[in-house]
């Protein structure tokens, strides 16, 4: 059953809505767009949100609920979930599920505080969800089954209505479970950038590029293939005295790699001129891999982490992003040549995870130089100074159970796999200190839905002012964050590595 069964969405209307409201190109030249002003991070007010749905019942076309007047009005954005092909390189064309015929999906640009409607049309045979990552929106439109957001039925559609905020680099992606099915969830091509723009204040840059890091063609791999920041010679406060050495389960490896929809060398280079300031929006859209990224000969001036401006912008040689994280950085083009921006993991970069930066009138071989080993430290972007004491502290201990799910590892939070019974309770208005204790050797990117949090301590080093929605806890490390409970409703917390989330590494916070 095609989308003819979805009342109110003839294909012509879909195509029109898509092209009118999205910039399909992933690399755009934009003159000094609004970027640097991010307002309203602290001012919290529950936005009106609404979700309308109808379901096409296979074999029962007459059973669909009648569209409401609101539903007949034109949506601001339309996302169509359907199979797509992605030409990573001329001889490497893969099949996956994407949005509006592409993967990554279109860059969506919304205005902070201006309500939007988004129609999501599911042309696949399985229920789907679209999650708006990093937004402060109610659970019913957050796009998360555990928070009771309705699924988009197979061959049906849902209209999401919400008020986007806060301003900054956000993203949208599917939030379904995958388990042992590597054609579901974050293994598919269902992801894209979502830019929430604040009014006023042009940023000081000449052009803007969007770079989504991505692996393709996943397979189960007995070898752990991580890109974790093992150069961390720092303290490991959570390392157990006795390590569990039982046989670990299968993890996920990949055969192909790209930035956006092209493997390195297959797409157009990013053409720059000496003296230009390029604003890069980096997103790690991986289902499972933490990544270090470098551009030899250049430095990244980090302005924002997860879309939120940092108190102390710093220039660094290497960026480190876990799945779900974003970094906004300005790079000054002051080294003429042709350079590779890519992961410092040679196998993945050589298999496609890179993109070329080509200065005008330069036709050299693309250059790559491995960066010096460095330790990614969120605290250098923070400021000194202590936060007020929290109203309560919530300890969370994360452990791996090797082969706990048969072929795969399972994961526990405070000794239990999801779900937990009324264990993580919040009172509205309270300030909570969450102490994340990683008793495993992997780096885990932990994500809190519908809220942001402030990093207050990493392995004993204090900081303040770094606001994030996803944070990597280093192997055997500890990260403490403060969160204001100002978004009533169910709130999912999980590791953003799909396999970890699917096998226990999640918890639901509730407001009492
Ligand atoms: Cu994890």
């Amino acid at each position: 059953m095609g989308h003819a069964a979805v009342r109110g969405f003839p294909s012509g209307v879909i195509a029109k809505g898509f092209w009118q409201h999205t910039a399909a190109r992933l690399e755009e030249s934009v003159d000094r767009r609004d970027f640097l002003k991010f307002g309203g991070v602290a001012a919290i007010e529950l936005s009106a949100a609404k979700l309308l749905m109808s379901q096409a019942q296979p074999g029962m076309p007459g059973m669909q609920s009648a569209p409401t007047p609101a539903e007949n009005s034109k949506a601001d954005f339309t996302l169509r979930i359907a199979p797509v092909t992605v030409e990573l390189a001329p001889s490497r064309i893969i099949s996956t599920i994407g949005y509006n015929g592409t993967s990554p999906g279109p860059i969506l640009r919304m205005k902070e505080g201006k309500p939007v409607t988004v129609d999501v049309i599911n042309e696949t045979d399985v229920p789907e969800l679209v999650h708006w990552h990093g937004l402060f929106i109610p659970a019913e439109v957050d796009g998360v089954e555990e928070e009771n957001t309705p699924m988009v039925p197979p061959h049906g559609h849902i209209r999401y209505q919400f008020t986007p905020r806060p301003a900054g680099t956000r993203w949208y992606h599917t939030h379904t479970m995958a388990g042992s099915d590597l054609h579901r969830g974050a293994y598919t091509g269902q992801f894209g950038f979502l830019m929430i723009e604040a009014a006023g204040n042009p940023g000081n840059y000449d052009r803007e590029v969007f770079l989504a890091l991505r692996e393709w063609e996943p397979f189960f791999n007995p070898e752990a293939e991580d890109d974790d920041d093992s150069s961390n010679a720092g303290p490991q406060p959570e390392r157990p005295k006795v390590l569990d050495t039982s046989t670990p389960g299968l993890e996920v490896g990949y055969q192909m790699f790209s930035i956006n929809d092209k493997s390195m060398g297959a797409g157009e280079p990013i053409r720059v001129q000496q003296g230009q300031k390029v604003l890069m929006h980096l997103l790690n859209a991986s289902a499972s891999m933490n990544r270090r990224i470098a551009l030899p000969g250049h430095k990244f001036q980090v302005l924002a982490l997860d879309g939120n401006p940092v108190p102390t912008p710093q220039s660094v040689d290497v960026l480190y992003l876990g799945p779900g994280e974003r970094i906004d950085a300005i790079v000054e083009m002051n080294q003429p040549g042709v350079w590779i921006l890519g992961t410092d993991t040679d196998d993945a970069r050589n298999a496609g995870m890179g993109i070329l930066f080509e200065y005008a009138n330069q036709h050299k071989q693309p250059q790559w130089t491995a960066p010096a080993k460095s330790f990614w430290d969120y605290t250098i972007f923070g400021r000194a100074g202590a936060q007020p004491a929290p109203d309560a502290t919530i300890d969370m201990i994360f452990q791996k159970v090797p082969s706990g799910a048969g072929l795969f590892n399972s994961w526990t939070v405070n000794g239990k796999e999801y779900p937990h019974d009324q264990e993580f309770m919040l009172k509205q208005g309270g300030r909570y200190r969450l102490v994340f204790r990683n008793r495993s050797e992997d780096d885990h990117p932990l994500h809190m839905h519908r809220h942001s949090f402030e990093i207050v301590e990493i392995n004993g080093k204090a900081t303040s002012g770094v606001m994030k929605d996803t944070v990597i806890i280093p192997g055997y490390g500890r990260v403490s964050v403060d969160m204001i409970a100002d978004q009533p409703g169910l709130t999912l917390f999980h590791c953003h590595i799909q396999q970890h989330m699917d096998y226990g590494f999640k918890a639901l916070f509730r407001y009492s």
Side-chain angles (χ1 to χ4, degrees), residues 411 443-446 495-497 500 505:
W411 297 87
D443 290 8
H444 297 283
L446 301 185
C495 178
H496 219 283
I497 293 175
H500 298 181
F505 204 150

Side-chain angles (χ1 to χ4, degrees), residues 288 290 398 411 438 440 442-446 494-501 505:
S288 61
N290 300 308
F398 310 113
W411 297 87
N438 180 3
S440 76
D442 310 313
D443 290 8
H444 297 283
L446 301 185
H494 62 93
C495 178
H496 219 283
I497 293 175
Q498 175 89 44
Q499 195 185 34
H500 298 181
M501 176 176 80
F505 204 150

Side-chain angles (χ1 to χ4, degrees), residues 2-15 54 64 67 71-75 77-80 118-121 123 156-159:
H3 57 246
V6 181
R7 195 169 295 174
F9 292 94
S11 52
V13 172
I14 296 166
S54 71
Q64 186 181 335
E71 210 176 355
N72 282 331
S73 66
K74 194 160 156 20
F77 300 91
T78 300
L79 289 177
R80 187 168 42 85
V118 186
D119 284 335
V120 178
I121 301 164
E123 293 183 1
H157 74 270
I158 273 185
R159 170 166 284 193

